[in-house]
Amino acid sequence: MRRIIGLFGGTFDPVHNGHLRMALELQQRLQLDEMRLLPCHQPPHRDVPGRSSSQRLAMVEAALESCPQLSVDGRELRRSSPSYSVDTLAELRCELGPEVSLCWCVGMDSLATFHLWHRWRDLLDYAHLVVVGRPGWQPPAEEPLASWMRARLAAPTQLRQAPAGALVLADATMLDISATSIRAAIAAGYSAQFLVPDSVWSFIKNNQLYR
Ligand code: ATP
């Protein structure tokens, strides 16, 4: 049977229970053989006050200590500069071969701006796109995204039938948590306990992040 690997990219600044719950549910519901979290470089337009790529990676590693179903792939952070998702996918395709099914997983908020991604139309040459609903976000209704999406919309069973090319809307519990609100809460002196795993909250406190 075709192997199927989920890939979940993000800045994870910090990784939180919204990310982790989504990744775990997708791994289980879609019966993914692997589900990898891929921390990416902070996009240049986002401010980076006081935490490094290695700290974001360390938080993902800490979060996954007690979750063998999920793993971390730090390849993007090992490069010195930001890389486009499509290039990371091309590299993974080369490494894993033409047969394995790759599923690039994003939240609905990411789909809304998908047409602004570098070579966005090519991404489905390398992988499927799995989109999970996020509180407050609807599927894009504007062109060119709406018709591109309609033409590729497929059932989850398609993910194992081909290595790439389908767009699947998947169900997962929607937790209304964002890294932005966590950073703001900590900066205001509030606790992030229960929004992030205890191991991540300890790391944040020990390293005095987001204060
Ligand atoms: P920020 O608030 O800093 O933008 P974020 O919480 O949205 O961060 P990112 O690391 O930017 O997290 O997002 C990585 C991916 O995780 C994106 O595809 C995003 O849609 C998804 N995501 C983020 N939060 C959630 C959540 N609560 N539930 C489901 N998906 C989420």
Side-chain angles (χ1 to χ4, degrees), residues 181-207:
S181 62
I182 291 173
R183 292 193 301 270
I186 297 170
Y190 296 112
S191 169
Q193 192 176 18
F194 309 131
L195 295 173
V196 299
D198 287 344
S199 55
V200 174
W201 181 223
S202 297
F203 186 95
I204 291 172
K205 284 188 293 184
N206 292 341
N207 292 278

Side-chain angles (χ1 to χ4, degrees), residues 8-14 16-19 22 46 105-110 132-135 173-181 183:
F8 182 28
T11 45
F12 303 126
D13 188 20
H16 55 67
N17 289 345
H19 299 132
M22 163 172 155
R46 290 173 60 148
C105 305
V106 297
M108 191 60 86
D109 56 312
S110 297
V132 176
R134 194 168 177 193
T173 304
M174 298 193 233
L175 297 176
D176 195 1
I177 303 174
S178 74
T180 303
S181 62
R183 292 193 301 270

Side-chain angles (χ1 to χ4, degrees), residues 3-199:
R3 272 173 62 71
I4 175 166
I5 298 181
L7 304 162
F8 182 28
T11 45
F12 303 126
D13 188 20
V15 65
H16 55 67
N17 289 345
H19 299 132
L20 296 163
R21 187 66 213 169
M22 163 172 155
L24 180 62
E25 286 193 22
L26 288 182
Q27 188 273 325
Q28 297 192 325
R29 291 183 188 201
L30 303 175
Q31 300 184 313
L32 305 176
D33 296 298
E34 271 185 57
M35 180 52 146
R36 300 186 190 182
L37 274 68
L38 276 101
C40 59
H41 278 283
Q42 195 73 260
H45 60 276
R46 290 173 60 148
D47 47 329
V48 194
R51 67 272 170 186
S52 61
S53 294
S54 60
Q55 286 174 317
R56 289 187 292 114
L57 178 61
M59 287 190 277
V60 177
E61 285 168 349
L64 301 188
E65 265 162 21
S66 56
C67 187
Q69 295 94 327
L70 306 178
S71 61
V72 58
D73 185 330
R75 70 181 60 228
E76 291 202 355
L77 297 185
R78 284 194 290 273
R79 296 192 198 109
S80 54
S81 56
S83 39
Y84 295 113
S85 303
V86 70
D87 296 331
T88 300
L89 275 170
E91 181 184 303
L92 280 158
R93 174 59 71 200
C94 229
E95 197 176 299
L96 298 165
E99 277 311 311
V100 64
S101 168
L102 297 178
C103 299
W104 187 256
C105 305
V106 297
M108 191 60 86
D109 56 312
S110 297
L111 186 65
T113 54
F114 191 66
H115 58 297
L116 304 177
W117 291 27
H118 180 63
R119 290 175 54 209
W120 63 280
R121 293 173 196 274
D122 297 343
L123 199 134
L124 265 66
D125 292 343
Y126 301 107
H128 300 295
L129 188 63
V130 174
V131 184
V132 176
R134 194 168 177 193
W137 292 88
Q138 303 298 322
E142 275 110 62
E143 298 302 342
L145 217 41
S147 40
W148 178 84
M149 185 178 147
R150 266 195 309 276
R152 287 157 186 83
L153 212 51
T157 48
Q158 271 297 113
L159 297 174
R160 212 178 270 277
Q161 278 158 25
L167 190 154
V168 167
L169 298 181
D171 285 330
T173 304
M174 298 193 233
L175 297 176
D176 195 1
I177 303 174
S178 74
T180 303
S181 62
I182 291 173
R183 292 193 301 270
I186 297 170
Y190 296 112
S191 169
Q193 192 176 18
F194 309 131
L195 295 173
V196 299
D198 287 344
S199 55

